[in-house]
Amino acid sequence: MPNVLSAEEADKLSNAIDNQHFGEWCPEGFDRRNRVQRYSGKDMEENFGWVFDKIVSASDQASVALRRPLELVITEHTPSSCRSIVNTFEQRELCPCQQQHQKCQCYVAQLTLVNNAIYSVERPVGRDLECWDLVEPATTILMEQNGVVIKTGESLWDWRGRISDIKDSNSCGEESSSDKGWKKGQKKLALSNKRSVTLSFRGILPPEPSSLSKQMESCKLSEESKPQVPLAKLLTIIVTTSPIRSNPSTELLERTFDTFQFAGSEFAYECPKVIVCDGCRVLEDDTGENTDSDEKKDDDPPKITRKYANVKQTLRNGIATVDQAKNYTELKKRLHKLCADSQGTQSTFSNTTVVELEERHGYGFALRHALYNCVETPYVCVIQHDRTFMRPTPIQEVVSTMESREEIKYVGVSMKSNLNYYDIFSSKYSRRACTELKTMIIRPEQLNISGNRYGPNGHSIANMVEPPSEKRRKLRDIARETYKASHQNIIYEEWVESMSSSGANQDGFHQLSLTPTLFWYDNTHIVRTEHYRDFIYNPVFKMVARGGFVEDKLSPIIKRSCERLGLKDGHAKFGCYLLDDHSGDVFTGHLDGGSYNTAGLHVKRNASERS
């Protein structure tokens, strides 16, 4: 329905909204890209009742009956807010009329101000946010300035869409009857500074709440006590490695394995371990002459001629020189001998198998090979060859928690970049999302650990590896002070205060937390084996790319899942959390294998510099 408001009325209304005469703008949308004002009840009727009366008058002429709305949502759309590619339904749950197959009078009436907007819509075969089969191709509708679009019936419940700008791959296939879309030469919304404001009068009845019994059933934990299973029967440790400059020395891996004792003696000495040695490609010399013999052996890796200026990046891409490839081959021989000599001894390399991959797979697919061929336990702890434990870490308790809570599928061990994860999240996402994330933090009974082991004054901090220099010790102290003032810590302290009557954090106990994360960190983490095999690496979903890291492609998928399904449901599919004992210190550190030099390389480099 075009021109529901006159130009003068529309300008007056939009100016009042922009000047926040009726209410303040609040950032909303999953990633805070939209500014939104919400009204209901008396405020809505007093300030915007006349606008709705105009819409009713126009709808009567179009033979559309509208009852008074329950809510008004005013949304500002800008080029940045239109970047999302996620189409959603107006409401995830059906209204009571639809559920009971009665005549439905629900509607959404959208008035567009300031500028035209493009509404992209599609109808899936089933009413499912993750149904990709469409009844007909996606199309676009021009929402005219000062005009109204009313959605009822099928268009309200069976179609999903979003406000978007025009893109080359999404030309307007369906325009309103009064306009044929964007005229030739007219600027696209994404290429201009234009903005559009929509007023959505929502006359949708809220869905019926689930029965209390169903809610209790979904939250009920099994009361049957499970027998304590040894950690070695539950957990396999996978360590991934690839060519680095310190090869053929095993020093880097030895330093990493030595820190396994921080995760407990059973973890360090009894759990099965797998070292996955990724393959590599060999870079020829500038002259084209190869320092290897001309005779090609069957086990020689394939050769390539592309050059990389940065040695670290070259090795990171799985490309090694002839000498580096020889050193890597020697490293693998030494690892086989080291693991064989450690069998039956009190060594962190005991119960360790070395797996060599003939071709380069990249971190993601090297891990995939180990999961499918070398793991028989229900859980895996994935560790990169340069990731070390910095202090005692409750791996046994984490696995026990995952045993009792099926919704927990991944637990990442904290590192420097994600220690204050809640603050990272709140800087990117809306207030509603932050409030919802706070309710999703888990503090399980299994992580209420006794013995003064964790927390700011726990033994774990006292036994922490000291930084090697005064500068790094100062940086650590600064990080601790920063953590104390972070929302990550403030939320925890508020929870402790609220639970003081029940004895939280008393008598030597300290409650650790699991904070939901939308980023799948490749840093040290514990995952359900079936979750990795059957879901993350499912070839249908294509969530991990060959040659890359798991986190690179999977993390954006998690974010889009939450944007599409909502934070709780979108996150539940992946079930990833970060461990925090609220001490302000990390559990893991980074030796940086790409730049790691052994003492021998330092001596060699210093000698060459002197000469």
Side-chain angles (χ1 to χ4, degrees), residues 427-439:
S427 69
K428 296 180 179 180
Y429 303 107
S430 67
R431 186 183 303 173
R432 283 191 171 192
C434 294
T435 302
E436 189 173 6
L437 186 79
K438 190 187 301 185
T439 66

PDB file of all heavy atoms in Angstrom, residues 427-439:
ATOM      1  N   SER A 427      31.555  -6.795  23.277  1.00  0.00           N
ATOM      2  CA  SER A 427      32.001  -5.722  22.386  1.00  0.00           C
ATOM      3  C   SER A 427      31.504  -5.909  20.963  1.00  0.00           C
ATOM      4  O   SER A 427      31.576  -4.972  20.156  1.00  0.00           O
ATOM      5  CB  SER A 427      33.531  -5.649  22.387  1.00  0.00           C
ATOM      6  OG  SER A 427      34.095  -6.792  21.756  1.00  0.00           O
ATOM      7  N   LYS A 428      31.000  -7.088  20.633  1.00  0.00           N
ATOM      8  CA  LYS A 428      30.571  -7.389  19.267  1.00  0.00           C
ATOM      9  C   LYS A 428      29.067  -7.544  19.122  1.00  0.00           C
ATOM     10  O   LYS A 428      28.524  -7.285  18.047  1.00  0.00           O
ATOM     11  CB  LYS A 428      31.238  -8.681  18.783  1.00  0.00           C
ATOM     12  CG  LYS A 428      32.752  -8.610  18.674  1.00  0.00           C
ATOM     13  CD  LYS A 428      33.305  -9.942  18.192  1.00  0.00           C
ATOM     14  CE  LYS A 428      34.811  -9.897  18.052  1.00  0.00           C
ATOM     15  NZ  LYS A 428      35.365 -11.194  17.591  1.00  0.00           N
ATOM     16  N   TYR A 429      28.390  -7.990  20.185  1.00  0.00           N
ATOM     17  CA  TYR A 429      26.999  -8.378  20.042  1.00  0.00           C
ATOM     18  C   TYR A 429      26.089  -7.531  20.928  1.00  0.00           C
ATOM     19  O   TYR A 429      26.541  -6.808  21.811  1.00  0.00           O
ATOM     20  CB  TYR A 429      26.836  -9.869  20.345  1.00  0.00           C
ATOM     21  CG  TYR A 429      27.712 -10.726  19.466  1.00  0.00           C
ATOM     22  CD1 TYR A 429      28.840 -11.365  19.969  1.00  0.00           C
ATOM     23  CD2 TYR A 429      27.437 -10.858  18.109  1.00  0.00           C
ATOM     24  CE1 TYR A 429      29.662 -12.131  19.148  1.00  0.00           C
ATOM     25  CE2 TYR A 429      28.246 -11.616  17.290  1.00  0.00           C
ATOM     26  CZ  TYR A 429      29.358 -12.249  17.810  1.00  0.00           C
ATOM     27  OH  TYR A 429      30.166 -12.989  16.990  1.00  0.00           O
ATOM     28  N   SER A 430      24.807  -7.644  20.687  1.00  0.00           N
ATOM     29  CA  SER A 430      23.837  -6.754  21.307  1.00  0.00           C
ATOM     30  C   SER A 430      23.668  -7.028  22.795  1.00  0.00           C
ATOM     31  O   SER A 430      24.089  -8.056  23.322  1.00  0.00           O
ATOM     32  CB  SER A 430      22.478  -6.903  20.612  1.00  0.00           C
ATOM     33  OG  SER A 430      21.942  -8.190  20.859  1.00  0.00           O
ATOM     34  N   ARG A 431      23.005  -6.077  23.452  1.00  0.00           N
ATOM     35  CA  ARG A 431      22.771  -6.209  24.889  1.00  0.00           C
ATOM     36  C   ARG A 431      21.917  -7.434  25.200  1.00  0.00           C
ATOM     37  O   ARG A 431      22.161  -8.138  26.189  1.00  0.00           O
ATOM     38  CB  ARG A 431      22.077  -4.940  25.406  1.00  0.00           C
ATOM     39  CG  ARG A 431      21.913  -4.887  26.917  1.00  0.00           C
ATOM     40  CD  ARG A 431      21.153  -3.636  27.327  1.00  0.00           C
ATOM     41  NE  ARG A 431      21.813  -2.436  26.842  1.00  0.00           N
ATOM     42  CZ  ARG A 431      21.277  -1.220  26.947  1.00  0.00           C
ATOM     43  NH1 ARG A 431      20.083  -1.057  27.482  1.00  0.00           N
ATOM     44  NH2 ARG A 431      21.930  -0.175  26.479  1.00  0.00           N
ATOM     45  N   ARG A 432      20.923  -7.670  24.371  1.00  0.00           N
ATOM     46  CA  ARG A 432      20.075  -8.847  24.586  1.00  0.00           C
ATOM     47  C   ARG A 432      20.885 -10.126  24.482  1.00  0.00           C
ATOM     48  O   ARG A 432      20.712 -11.060  25.269  1.00  0.00           O
ATOM     49  CB  ARG A 432      18.937  -8.861  23.559  1.00  0.00           C
ATOM     50  CG  ARG A 432      17.812  -7.913  23.860  1.00  0.00           C
ATOM     51  CD  ARG A 432      16.615  -8.189  22.961  1.00  0.00           C
ATOM     52  NE  ARG A 432      15.453  -7.438  23.350  1.00  0.00           N
ATOM     53  CZ  ARG A 432      14.232  -7.661  22.887  1.00  0.00           C
ATOM     54  NH1 ARG A 432      14.037  -8.618  22.006  1.00  0.00           N
ATOM     55  NH2 ARG A 432      13.210  -6.927  23.291  1.00  0.00           N
ATOM     56  N   ALA A 433      21.787 -10.180  23.485  1.00  0.00           N
ATOM     57  CA  ALA A 433      22.619 -11.369  23.319  1.00  0.00           C
ATOM     58  C   ALA A 433      23.540 -11.551  24.520  1.00  0.00           C
ATOM     59  O   ALA A 433      23.756 -12.682  24.985  1.00  0.00           O
ATOM     60  CB  ALA A 433      23.431 -11.266  22.032  1.00  0.00           C
ATOM     61  N   CYS A 434      24.083 -10.455  25.046  1.00  0.00           N
ATOM     62  CA  CYS A 434      24.968 -10.547  26.214  1.00  0.00           C
ATOM     63  C   CYS A 434      24.201 -11.038  27.444  1.00  0.00           C
ATOM     64  O   CYS A 434      24.710 -11.859  28.214  1.00  0.00           O
ATOM     65  CB  CYS A 434      25.607  -9.196  26.505  1.00  0.00           C
ATOM     66  SG  CYS A 434      26.740  -8.642  25.218  1.00  0.00           S
ATOM     67  N   THR A 435      22.992 -10.523  27.612  1.00  0.00           N
ATOM     68  CA  THR A 435      22.169 -10.977  28.740  1.00  0.00           C
ATOM     69  C   THR A 435      21.841 -12.456  28.609  1.00  0.00           C
ATOM     70  O   THR A 435      21.867 -13.203  29.594  1.00  0.00           O
ATOM     71  CB  THR A 435      20.869 -10.157  28.800  1.00  0.00           C
ATOM     72  OG1 THR A 435      21.192  -8.763  28.918  1.00  0.00           O
ATOM     73  CG2 THR A 435      20.010 -10.580  29.977  1.00  0.00           C
ATOM     74  N   GLU A 436      21.561 -12.878  27.377  1.00  0.00           N
ATOM     75  CA  GLU A 436      21.257 -14.294  27.149  1.00  0.00           C
ATOM     76  C   GLU A 436      22.491 -15.159  27.362  1.00  0.00           C
ATOM     77  O   GLU A 436      22.402 -16.247  27.930  1.00  0.00           O
ATOM     78  CB  GLU A 436      20.719 -14.481  25.738  1.00  0.00           C
ATOM     79  CG  GLU A 436      20.167 -15.875  25.470  1.00  0.00           C
ATOM     80  CD  GLU A 436      19.481 -15.978  24.126  1.00  0.00           C
ATOM     81  OE1 GLU A 436      19.525 -15.009  23.343  1.00  0.00           O
ATOM     82  OE2 GLU A 436      18.889 -17.044  23.853  1.00  0.00           O
ATOM     83  N   LEU A 437      23.662 -14.674  26.918  1.00  0.00           N
ATOM     84  CA  LEU A 437      24.889 -15.445  27.118  1.00  0.00           C
ATOM     85  C   LEU A 437      25.167 -15.647  28.603  1.00  0.00           C
ATOM     86  O   LEU A 437      25.635 -16.709  29.021  1.00  0.00           O
ATOM     87  CB  LEU A 437      26.070 -14.733  26.457  1.00  0.00           C
ATOM     88  CG  LEU A 437      27.381 -15.513  26.473  1.00  0.00           C
ATOM     89  CD1 LEU A 437      27.375 -16.583  25.377  1.00  0.00           C
ATOM     90  CD2 LEU A 437      28.585 -14.592  26.298  1.00  0.00           C
ATOM     91  N   LYS A 438      24.861 -14.638  29.399  1.00  0.00           N
ATOM     92  CA  LYS A 438      25.091 -14.738  30.839  1.00  0.00           C
ATOM     93  C   LYS A 438      24.287 -15.887  31.446  1.00  0.00           C
ATOM     94  O   LYS A 438      24.768 -16.597  32.339  1.00  0.00           O
ATOM     95  CB  LYS A 438      24.714 -13.418  31.509  1.00  0.00           C
ATOM     96  CG  LYS A 438      25.132 -13.311  32.961  1.00  0.00           C
ATOM     97  CD  LYS A 438      24.572 -12.057  33.607  1.00  0.00           C
ATOM     98  CE  LYS A 438      25.007 -10.798  32.922  1.00  0.00           C
ATOM     99  NZ  LYS A 438      24.550  -9.584  33.652  1.00  0.00           N
ATOM    100  N   THR A 439      23.071 -16.082  30.950  1.00  0.00           N
ATOM    101  CA  THR A 439      22.234 -17.179  31.470  1.00  0.00           C
ATOM    102  C   THR A 439      22.707 -18.549  30.991  1.00  0.00           C
ATOM    103  O   THR A 439      22.290 -19.562  31.531  1.00  0.00           O
ATOM    104  CB  THR A 439      20.777 -16.984  31.034  1.00  0.00           C
ATOM    105  OG1 THR A 439      20.682 -17.114  29.598  1.00  0.00           O
ATOM    106  CG2 THR A 439      20.266 -15.607  31.435  1.00  0.00           C
TER     107      THR A 439
END
